[in-house]
Amino acid sequence: MVRPPALCRRPAIIFGGCVPEREPPAWIWLKERVARLRQPTATVPVADVPLAAVVKTAVVTDSAAALPPDWVSAFTADGRLAVVPMPVMVGSEIYGEGEDDITQTLSLALASGAAVKTSRPSPGQFEQAYLAAQRRGFDSVVSIHISSELSGTADAARLAAARVSIPVDVVDSRTVGMAQGMGVQSAVVAAADGQDAAEVRGFAERRMERTKVYFYVPSLEQLRRGGRIGAAASLLGTVLAIKPILAVDGGRIVPLEKVRSAVRAVARLEEIVAADVASRPAGQQRLAVHHFGNQMEAEALAARLNEKCPDCPPPQISALPAVLAAHAGLGVLAVIVGESSTPTD
């Protein structure tokens, strides 16, 4: 059995490099569920019981899900979860998210205005992930991916699914970042509960439908260069005069508000998030904060949100994946608002 990482002693810093002292209920439930599944019986030693004998469905996703590294490492070793890296091109060099340390290279490129591009993973990468699940004895795969409005990743996954004999259910998350990641976590939880692929998919989709992404970027330039600006293109005419607050809605980036200063934009972002949290069932709310090149600012934002949302566990804090930071740019602050996820929800 793969053991989750040791608890971190810093309760306000979450999942970027450690698991918080105050663990989300779904994490606790999953650890307990896996422990029960692996209990030895009177006739079959635990070492002889393959994971796929109790967990029938494997989960595959892409690195845009922004899953915490510790969470990924805890659940990829036995094959129940696979994260396919999304490529980032800086100049003529191609880097794989999670395979290469590209944070500093990307930061310098964004700061200097150098060419930065992203691409979808190849169908072959997904095919290998699906075949690996089949070899481990899983009956099916649920493959959850970044919004098709922002990337062709889901299409690549569908091409790969048509090449393999194991049933693969490809899910367009219609979102990004830890909003997608929360859906992936839900899928892993549901699979650990022994639910079939249709139930795993439905469980993940319900959580993603309840999850919102709000974010602030100091400039729309990177979004414009990457063609990911969508409905927020209406802000370009006043781009020098405003600091935009954006959201992901229907899989697309849309404008929420135009604010005149960075300080006011961040304060307004907090207000929007706090109002969203207050509208959700007490004790069920969950938060995540993404950043790129501004970790201290993200930690300060998370601390303020923790004060404004006392019924919510401390926000998860993590750097935005390179494939997303390449479009959002330096200084981005994103907040994901979701709800807890266990099969008893």
Side-chain angles (χ1 to χ4, degrees):
M1 171 179 172
V2 177
R3 296 184 181 276
L7 297 184
C8 173
R9 296 301 177 187
R10 297 175 62 195
I13 306 302
I14 308 178
F15 278 145
C18 54
V19 179
E21 285 187 353
R22 189 177 178 184
E23 293 180 313
W27 175 274
I28 297 171
W29 181 92
L30 181 57
K31 289 195 299 183
E32 293 175 349
R33 173 65 180 172
V34 171
R36 290 198 302 272
L37 290 172
R38 284 306 190 90
Q39 286 294 321
T41 66
T43 57
V44 183
V46 66
D48 294 335
V49 180
L51 179 69
V54 287
V55 181
K56 300 296 186 181
T57 302
V59 179
V60 173
T61 189
D62 54 71
S63 55
L67 288 166
D70 288 340
W71 210 94
V72 171
S73 63
F75 299 110
T76 53
D78 55 23
R80 77 177 69 193
L81 172 67
V83 181
V84 176
M86 297 185 69
V88 177
M89 290 158 278
V90 180
S92 60
E93 297 294 324
I94 301 177
Y95 300 87
E97 185 85 59
E99 298 176 325
D100 303 297
D101 185 7
I102 61 175
T103 300
Q104 184 175 5
T105 300
L106 179 59
S107 297
L108 291 173
L110 292 171
S112 65
V116 177
K117 297 181 180 179
T118 62
S119 179
R120 71 182 192 181
S122 69
Q125 289 174 276
F126 288 115
E127 184 176 356
Q128 290 303 311
Y130 302 152
L131 291 174
Q134 186 175 30
R135 287 193 298 270
R136 285 179 176 267
F138 291 94
D139 293 344
S140 58
V141 175
V142 172
S143 201
I144 303 172
H145 300 293
I146 180 176
S147 170
S148 60
E149 299 288 346
L150 302 175
S151 171
T153 300
D155 289 336
R158 291 188 186 97
L159 288 172
R163 299 176 181 174
V164 297
S165 58
I166 185 172
V168 179
D169 195 350
V170 177
V171 181
D172 178 354
S173 72
R174 308 293 291 172
T175 189
V176 71
M178 266 304 293
Q180 174 188 342
M182 288 180 181
V184 173
Q185 290 176 324
S186 295
V188 173
V189 167
D193 195 42
Q195 299 186 43
D196 63 25
E199 293 167 326
V200 169
R201 174 182 180 138
F203 191 49
E205 287 182 323
R206 287 192 295 276
R207 192 179 191 197
M208 290 186 291
E209 287 169 359
R210 301 197 304 266
T211 306
K212 297 294 184 182
V213 180
Y214 306 104
F215 65 108
Y216 154 74
V217 291
S219 169
L220 291 171
E221 179 60 19
Q222 283 301 125
L223 287 170
R224 183 195 67 77
R225 287 185 181 185
R228 301 306 200 277
I229 203 166
S234 61
L235 300 175
L236 284 173
T238 54
V239 67
L240 296 178
I242 60 99
K243 298 296 180 183
I245 299 175
L246 307 168
V248 175
D249 185 33
R252 297 183 178 184
I253 296 173
V254 299
L256 279 186
E257 295 186 10
K258 297 183 289 185
V259 186
R260 293 292 178 180
S261 72
V263 172
R264 178 56 186 153
V266 175
R268 183 61 185 137
L269 178 63
E270 293 175 31
E271 294 171 356
I272 292 170
V273 169
D276 189 337
V277 170
S279 71
R280 296 171 183 265
Q284 296 296 305
Q285 311 99 321
R286 297 292 179 265
L287 291 172
V289 174
H290 291 316
H291 61 87
F292 196 77
N294 54 336
Q295 181 174 345
M296 292 181 64
E297 189 178 7
E299 291 176 357
L301 170 61
R304 293 192 298 271
L305 289 174
N306 198 35
E307 293 178 357
K308 291 183 177 181
C309 309
D311 294 331
C312 183
Q316 300 177 9
I317 305 173
S318 61
L320 204 64
V323 69
L324 303 182
H327 296 290
L330 290 169
V332 59
L333 287 173
V335 182
I336 288 80
V337 184
E339 297 176 18
S340 64
S341 178
T342 68
T344 57
D345 286 352

